Amino acid sequence: MTQLKLRSPKLFRSLERPSLSRQMMAIGLLITLVFVTVAIFAPLMQSWGWIQDPIESLTNPIHQPPSAEHWFGTSRQGYDIFSRTLFGTQAALQVVILATVLSVLVGVPLGMVSGYLGGRLDRLLVFLMDAVYTLPGLLLSVTLAFVVGRGVINAAIALSIAYVPQYYRVVRNHTVSVKTELFIEAAQAMGASTWVVLSRYLFLNVIQSVPVLFTLNAADAALTLGSLGFLGLGLPDQTPEWGQDLRQALDALPTGIWWTALFPGLALTSLVVGLSLLGEGLNEFVNPLLRREE
């Protein structure tokens, strides 16, 4: 006798077996939260005496491998690598968050105004943004870093300019498609001002992709900041920053001193992977065209 196989409702099946997008989001969010926690508590750990000053040069020992006293070893400059790796998280997140927030604050309003008003302003902004967008992001950031100089704010500005066109293009395209909807035409017929239409009716309908773009740009910004630090264009000297530590560790690698480059490199890679997983998982979760039947 054939037995009927009962299937649980789709909602409960999705809860029993999480989708790939949810798994990616969960792993990426967990990794990101670990780095955020480290960035918050690193100064407290130093004040409690749990870790050493990241910019205090130890006279002895130098180039000590990982041990119970120095978990990640020491560098040629006498720095405790564990302490610098933890504080490097704080520097990376400061620049990354500031750069992405600045690009959102500039790119989203420009995209909404350009797409809604159209005309010469729209054509001019499209031309300028396309010109910036065609430039390689790292090359543009390196050039801007030469101009604005080193520092947290300067590095964030150099990074953010490369991301503004991405937010502009995405938001503008959404605005152009949404502004012809009936509810927008009804608001215009009732005499709603441009500001009211943009803020009340358009804004929430054109920013669906901004969180996804934010996390992916944050991952790219972390990697680009590491590249700037490796080239000596990121933060000031002696600042705990992963790219700068990798540059200082480059000469020690041929002599078998591997730990000076391993731990900053792992930290940078882990943060980039975490933010990338979070962005890709969020993209698949919010974009109905990418959802797959479980």
Side-chain angles (χ1 to χ4, degrees):
M1 181 177 179
T2 304
Q3 295 182 349
L4 296 178
K5 183 178 180 180
L6 299 179
R7 300 184 66 188
S8 58
K10 181 178 179 180
L11 173 61
F12 294 100
R13 295 201 311 270
S14 64
L15 293 177
E16 293 171 359
R17 186 180 61 181
S19 64
L20 178 62
S21 62
R22 292 195 183 99
Q23 294 175 355
M24 292 172 62
M25 286 179 57
I27 296 174
L29 182 61
L30 177 61
I31 295 175
T32 304
L33 288 179
V34 169
F35 279 98
V36 171
T37 303
V38 169
I40 293 175
F41 285 97
L44 295 177
M45 295 172 65
Q46 180 190 350
S47 64
W48 295 337
W50 293 0
I51 59 177
Q52 297 182 357
D53 191 334
I55 60 175
E56 178 184 356
S57 180
L58 305 174
T59 57
N60 186 41
I62 294 177
H63 275 169
Q64 178 187 356
S67 62
E69 183 179 2
H70 303 283
W71 290 0
F72 290 177
T74 59
S75 66
R76 181 182 63 182
Q77 294 77 17
Y79 297 135
D80 181 74
I81 299 176
F82 179 70
S83 176
R84 289 186 65 84
T85 302
L86 295 187
F87 274 87
T89 303
Q90 188 180 62
L93 290 180
Q94 285 178 347
V95 176
V96 166
I97 293 175
L98 184 57
T100 47
V101 168
L102 285 175
S103 58
V104 169
L105 293 179
V106 176
V108 171
L110 283 180
M112 291 178 60
V113 172
S114 177
Y116 181 72
L117 297 180
R120 294 182 178 179
L121 176 63
D122 181 52
R123 291 193 294 270
L124 176 61
L125 288 176
V126 168
F127 174 78
L128 292 177
M129 294 299 171
D130 286 347
V132 176
Y133 188 73
T134 57
L135 299 174
L138 178 58
L139 178 61
L140 180 60
S141 299
V142 168
T143 304
L144 293 172
F146 272 114
V147 176
V148 300
R150 304 167 73 179
V152 172
I153 297 179
N154 293 341
I157 293 174
L159 293 174
S160 64
I161 294 178
Y163 302 129
V164 168
Q166 300 183 33
Y167 294 98
Y168 168 84
R169 289 157 61 96
V170 169
V171 173
R172 177 192 174 274
N173 292 338
H174 282 305
T175 302
V176 170
S177 61
V178 172
K179 73 175 183 179
T180 58
E181 298 289 340
L182 292 178
F183 67 93
I184 298 295
E185 296 179 355
Q188 294 170 340
M190 295 175 61
S193 63
T194 300
W195 167 252
V196 172
V197 174
L198 291 176
S199 60
R200 183 176 299 181
Y201 299 103
L202 270 176
F203 179 72
L204 293 179
N205 290 282
V206 300
I207 62 168
Q208 297 93 336
S209 301
V210 169
V212 177
L213 197 57
F214 185 93
T215 53
L216 295 177
N217 281 342
D220 185 75
L223 189 60
T224 305
L225 175 64
S227 301
L228 291 179
F230 187 81
L231 295 174
L233 300 173
L235 304 184
D237 292 335
Q238 296 185 341
T239 302
E241 196 272 315
W242 298 327
Q244 186 177 135
D245 289 346
L246 287 173
R247 176 170 59 89
Q248 295 174 350
L250 188 61
D251 295 336
L253 286 177
T255 61
I257 302 175
W258 50 267
W259 55 89
T260 56
L262 175 65
F263 297 107
L266 285 178
L268 176 58
T269 303
S270 299
L271 179 60
V272 172
V273 169
L275 291 172
S276 299
L277 287 176
L278 180 60
E280 293 294 343
L282 185 62
N283 186 32
E284 185 177 341
F285 184 76
V286 303
N287 192 340
L289 297 178
L290 298 178
R291 295 177 191 169
R292 291 172 291 186
E293 184 72 20
E294 294 294 329

